[in-house]
Amino acid sequence: MTLVRRFGRRAKPPAGTTDAEPAGDESGARSKAFEAMLAGISKRLVQAPLGGMDAAINDALAAVSTFADVERSHVFVFDEDRATMNEIARWPLSDGTDGGALRSVAANHLPFYAHEVFAGRDVVFSDVSEIPQLQAADREFLAELDVRSGFT
């Protein structure tokens, strides 16, 4: 999942990630609230009928995006041969539009990102410039999508 903020605000990944907020009373309460939200989402996803799974996924994405206070978010899934990332869900832009049709993206547009995901490593950044290993293709594609922060 990629969460995007605009105007210099940073996305706040869930507690327990490498980019989590410092520990403290407020952070502890936020972590508990996040865990409770995830438990509720998990329950709804497990109980959702097959025909209601898309709606359950979209509701989950909206809940996580709202909690993280982001402008938009996307869920991409790699196909079996790992050549293409297919967008399966999106949380709407702040202007209420859905941003158009769901898209498919060749994994070679994000070589560093794809490599890290396939290696089982998280990619967490509050600003694209924080990842010096990004290849030009990654940077160009993230700029095209106006991605400023994200985590997997």
Side-chain angles (χ1 to χ4, degrees):
M1 172 173 30
T2 301
L3 303 177
V4 179
R5 280 193 168 187
R6 289 184 183 245
F7 312 118
R9 296 181 299 158
R10 61 179 252 162
K12 294 179 184 171
T17 66
T18 57
D19 198 34
E21 295 293 315
D25 291 340
E26 184 179 316
S27 179
R30 186 165 171 82
S31 292
K32 287 180 182 178
F34 186 77
E35 289 171 10
M37 180 191 60
L38 286 183
I41 289 170
S42 297
K43 181 178 178 182
R44 286 190 299 275
L45 288 171
V46 167
Q47 294 175 347
L50 190 55
M53 190 55 67
D54 284 344
I57 290 170
N58 287 330
D59 290 348
L61 184 58
V64 170
S65 300
T66 301
F67 186 89
D69 190 27
V70 297
E71 180 181 283
R72 67 182 188 267
S73 56
H74 309 266
V75 176
F76 286 88
V77 176
F78 286 92
D79 61 7
E80 287 186 34
D81 65 2
R82 297 180 171 187
T84 305
M85 300 183 314
N86 298 298
E87 186 177 32
I88 63 165
R90 158 186 320 136
W91 189 63
L93 299 172
S94 59
D95 65 4
T97 67
D98 68 3
L102 296 178
R103 63 185 147 244
S104 292
V105 176
N108 64 2
H109 283 134
L110 293 164
F112 171 77
Y113 191 86
H115 178 269
E116 294 300 294
V117 169
F118 296 146
R121 292 186 286 268
D122 291 331
V123 179
V124 179
F125 56 95
S126 58
D127 188 296
V128 173
S129 66
E130 292 177 357
I131 308 175
Q133 309 92 316
L134 281 181
Q135 297 179 14
D138 294 280
R139 289 186 194 285
E140 289 171 18
F141 189 72
L142 291 172
E144 180 183 318
L145 294 178
D146 195 26
V147 172
R148 298 182 183 180
S149 59
F151 66 93
T152 57

